Amino acid sequence: MNILEAAQKRAQDIRAAADRPSQRRCTEAPGSGPRVAVRMQRIQLREAGDAGGGLGFSGYASVTGVGYEMWDIFGPYTEVVSAGAFGPSLSRADLDVPLVIQHDGIRRIARTANGTLRLDEDDRGLSVDADLDPDDADVQYIVPKLRSGLIDEMSFMFRITAGEWSQDWTEFHVNEVDIHRGDVSIVSYGANPATAGSGLRSTKDLESFVRGLSLAEQREIAALVAGAAPKTGAELITDEDVRLRRVRF
């Protein structure tokens, strides 16, 4: 099934151009979820000692005006989030959206409702800016992976409230979304990621910065500080750090 064959079937069976895709999903497999990811171009760290005393994360959970492949009951099509699609939802006074890991609602690391997460739509897409707690176990889990590039995509969970098919039924334009009580998420992989920038900025003190490094990196720092070859590096690891390293995520 190619995109033109799917469009022909869609044209025969869909009654109105404003009808939303049925069984919208990210791959051909019927059981796949309707998730779209944005790839992070780069990870940036701010030097320890900057004002704030915590961690900051910024990126894009969606890029507007960039097509990506999706599937419905008829087959593949191109979906495009239109500029301005987020405006009505973001203007809500009671907007409640968490920043989570892998769309797991319980693994929240920031939230609009408590002021630690700020969402905005600019000329690129849905921008995300969050204040993170360095003592949060999920933050300690995800930050090294972001630094190393092991994880480099974002996604968001939303409802389509308005959209329209192109005249040839090959494209669906998402003109308005409701992200209230959805999420923005750091993910391992998503469907057909577009390219967008993101950054992780550190405003931690030196001790917190060291805690975020690998054991080997901690030992190297210990050697530099002591002016001698490292032995164990244990002096840089607290009991709390050891406990957290044993937690299975």
Side-chain angles (χ1 to χ4, degrees):
M1 175 71 66
N2 62 41
I3 193 167
L4 294 178
E5 292 171 338
Q8 291 174 353
K9 292 186 176 182
R10 202 173 287 119
Q12 295 171 358
D13 292 357
I14 294 182
R15 293 174 296 178
D19 289 349
R20 284 162 239 162
S22 179
Q23 298 181 15
R24 175 180 176 272
R25 58 187 188 270
C26 62
T27 68
E28 185 175 5
S32 62
R35 294 175 181 168
V36 179
V38 176
R39 187 177 300 280
M40 305 176 189
Q41 278 188 333
R42 58 190 179 276
I43 297 296
Q44 296 177 335
L45 291 172
R46 283 169 54 178
E47 294 182 5
D50 288 351
L55 274 171
F57 173 84
S58 60
Y60 283 84
S62 177
V63 174
T64 54
V66 178
Y68 48 86
E69 186 181 72
M70 294 293 282
W71 292 71
D72 64 2
I73 61 173
F74 305 106
Y77 65 93
T78 299
E79 184 173 276
V80 181
V81 178
S82 302
F86 300 97
S89 187
L90 295 181
S91 66
R92 293 182 59 132
D94 62 343
L95 181 66
D96 190 358
V97 181
L99 171 61
V100 302
I101 298 174
Q102 202 62 29
H103 291 290
D104 187 343
I106 201 66
R107 303 190 69 178
R108 301 181 175 194
I109 56 178
R111 187 180 182 188
T112 58
N114 70 358
T116 56
L117 175 64
R118 295 162 294 280
L119 302 177
D120 189 25
E121 182 177 2
D122 58 22
D123 57 2
R124 175 174 282 179
L126 180 62
S127 67
V128 176
D129 188 72
D131 303 321
L132 308 183
D133 179 1
D135 294 326
D136 185 300
D138 284 326
V139 172
Q140 295 178 1
Y141 165 77
I142 200 64
V143 163
K145 300 180 186 302
L146 292 169
R147 283 196 180 108
S148 66
L150 288 172
I151 293 178
D152 63 355
E153 293 185 13
M154 289 196 73
S155 179
F156 74 115
M157 185 169 66
F158 63 102
R159 291 188 304 108
I160 298 174
T161 54
E164 188 171 14
W165 289 98
S166 62
Q167 291 185 350
D168 62 2
W169 301 94
T170 62
E171 289 189 1
F172 185 77
H173 293 261
V174 179
N175 295 330
E176 185 177 315
V177 302
D178 182 4
I179 197 172
H180 176 61
R181 298 182 71 84
D183 70 39
V184 289
S185 181
I186 299 169
V187 297
S188 55
Y189 289 111
N192 306 290
T195 299
S198 73
L200 179 67
R201 61 186 189 280
S202 173
T203 56
K204 299 182 295 182
D205 58 23
L206 180 59
E207 180 181 356
S208 296
F209 172 76
V210 171
R211 289 183 182 182
L213 301 177
S214 68
L215 182 58
E217 290 171 328
Q218 292 178 8
R219 288 174 175 171
E220 289 177 7
I221 291 177
L224 290 173
V225 172
K231 294 182 179 180
T232 66
E235 64 274 17
L236 296 176
I237 305 174
T238 67
D239 291 340
E240 179 69 0
D241 291 326
V242 173
R243 184 188 68 79
L244 290 173
R245 290 179 187 277
R246 291 174 179 168
V247 175
R248 297 185 64 185
F249 291 99

